[in-house]
């Protein structure tokens, strides 16, 4: 005989085991809506930290599996026309759709180990999985990592979760045959091509004269994917520009740590030519650093510098960098 209490425990545990087996044996990939719903559940309580990590890892593995095995991602292709590059970008975007939506939610709500799971995801996607003869295609293998970084980063901007963003950007990436890097210096858009994305991606149809063609492309993509989560398109654009400014400032902080000599140059973005947006973002950051000083979460996170003074100096250096670009100033507002 089994007493009632023991029987209740037994059947409760049995139901949980069956549920777990069903949940993790479902055909993959999950629909985007289902994946986001599961993610929100797992982010809501720390007891789901293993299930959360498994969900993130499984989605990353799914993306990696497609981009390394699908013949449409031919690493030896010699067709590097604008149409060919655009088509490859769209293929990467298609397989990364679920991760983009998940990443935006995770950026808003991740803490501690949860954020580490997403940092690890970006690192895994930043590693070149396939060797090839064409440098352009090798660089673009990191594009899914870039999309995830921007989606996650926009989530952190929406909730001002600077500690989370800083933790992700400071994640170490071990590279084969190259010096080690951090997410901040390897994964942002203009770091994909050693800060030459502006000239390389001007091959994209209709973007031949743009200063930041790939940045503009990604901004449009993310507006279509997650823009509805912002009050307006203006609010989305300001968040995008704020993220790129913070990526540039973090790039400067991390680069100074990585290199024996750092020349002060950082990664450009849309902020480099959109004067109205840049002025608003710079003013907001400067106000926070001056009024809150060491209490600013921008400082305590280490995102823009170790002290408020260092952060202000970083911002001034970024202003000088923008001037050095000599880009024609305009605005998209």
């Amino acid at each position: 005989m089994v007493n009632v209490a023991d029987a209740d425990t037994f059947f409760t545990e049995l139901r949980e085991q069956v549920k777990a087996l069903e949940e993790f044996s479902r055909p993959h990939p999950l629909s985007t809506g289902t994946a986001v719903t599961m993610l929100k559940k797992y982010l809501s309580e720390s007891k789901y930290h293993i299930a959360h990590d498994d969900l993130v890892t499984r989605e990353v593995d799914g993306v990696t599996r497609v981009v390394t095995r699908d013949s449409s991602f031919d690493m030896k292709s010699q067709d590097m026309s604008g149409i060919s590059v655009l088509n490859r970008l769209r293929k990467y975007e298609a397989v990364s759709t679920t991760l983009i939506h998940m990443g935006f939610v995770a950026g808003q709500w991740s803490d501690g180990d949860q954020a580490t799971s997403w940092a690890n995801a970006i690192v895994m996607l930043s590693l070149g999985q396939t060797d090839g003869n064409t440098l352009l295609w090798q660089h673009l293998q990191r594009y899914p990592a870039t999309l995830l970084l921007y989606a996650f980063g926009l989530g952190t901007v929406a909730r001002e979760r600077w500690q989370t963003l800083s933790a992700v950007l400071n994640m170490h990436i071990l590279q084969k045959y190259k010096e080690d890097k951090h997410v901040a210096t390897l994964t942002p858009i203009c770091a994909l091509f050693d800060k030459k994305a502006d000239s390389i991606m001007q091959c994209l149809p209709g973007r031949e004269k743009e200063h930041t063609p790939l940045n503009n492309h990604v901004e449009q993509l993310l507006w279509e994917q997650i823009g509805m989560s912002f009050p307006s398109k203006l609010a989305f654009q300001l968040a995008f520009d704020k993220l790129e400014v913070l990526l540039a400032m973090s790039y400067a902080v991390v680069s100074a740590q990585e290199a024996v000599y750092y020349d002060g140059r950082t990664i450009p973005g849309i902020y480099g030519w959109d004067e109205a947006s840049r002025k608003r973002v710079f003013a907001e950051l400067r106000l926070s650093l001056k009024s809150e000083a060491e209490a600013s979460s921008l400082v305590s996170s280490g995102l823009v510098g170790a002290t408020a003074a260092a952060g202000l100096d970083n911002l001034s250096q970024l202003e000088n960098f923008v001037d050095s670009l000599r880009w024609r100033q305009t605005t998209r507002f």
Side-chain angles (χ1 to χ4, degrees), residues 41 47 59 86 97 103 108 112 153 157-158 173 186 209 214 264 273:
K41 173 185 175 181
K47 69 179 182 180
E59 194 59 42
L86 179 60
T97 296
Q108 295 177 77
V157 170
I173 301 176
L186 189 67
K209 297 182 179 180
L214 187 55
W273 56 264

Side-chain angles (χ1 to χ4, degrees), residues 287-309:
L287 177 63
S288 174
L289 291 169
K290 284 185 174 181
S291 62
E292 299 176 42
E294 310 310 311
S296 171
S297 56
L298 291 167
V299 175
S300 61
S301 65
L303 184 60
V304 301
T307 65

Side-chain angles (χ1 to χ4, degrees), residues 171-199:
M171 198 71 173
H172 206 187
I173 301 176
L174 299 176
Q175 294 196 99
K176 184 170 63 173
Y177 310 130
K178 297 180 181 179
E179 71 274 12
D180 296 344
K181 291 283 188 178
H182 293 79
V183 169
T185 55
L186 189 67
T187 313
I189 290 173
C190 287
L192 282 176
F193 308 98
D194 192 26
K195 295 184 282 190
K196 297 177 182 177
D198 52 344
S199 58

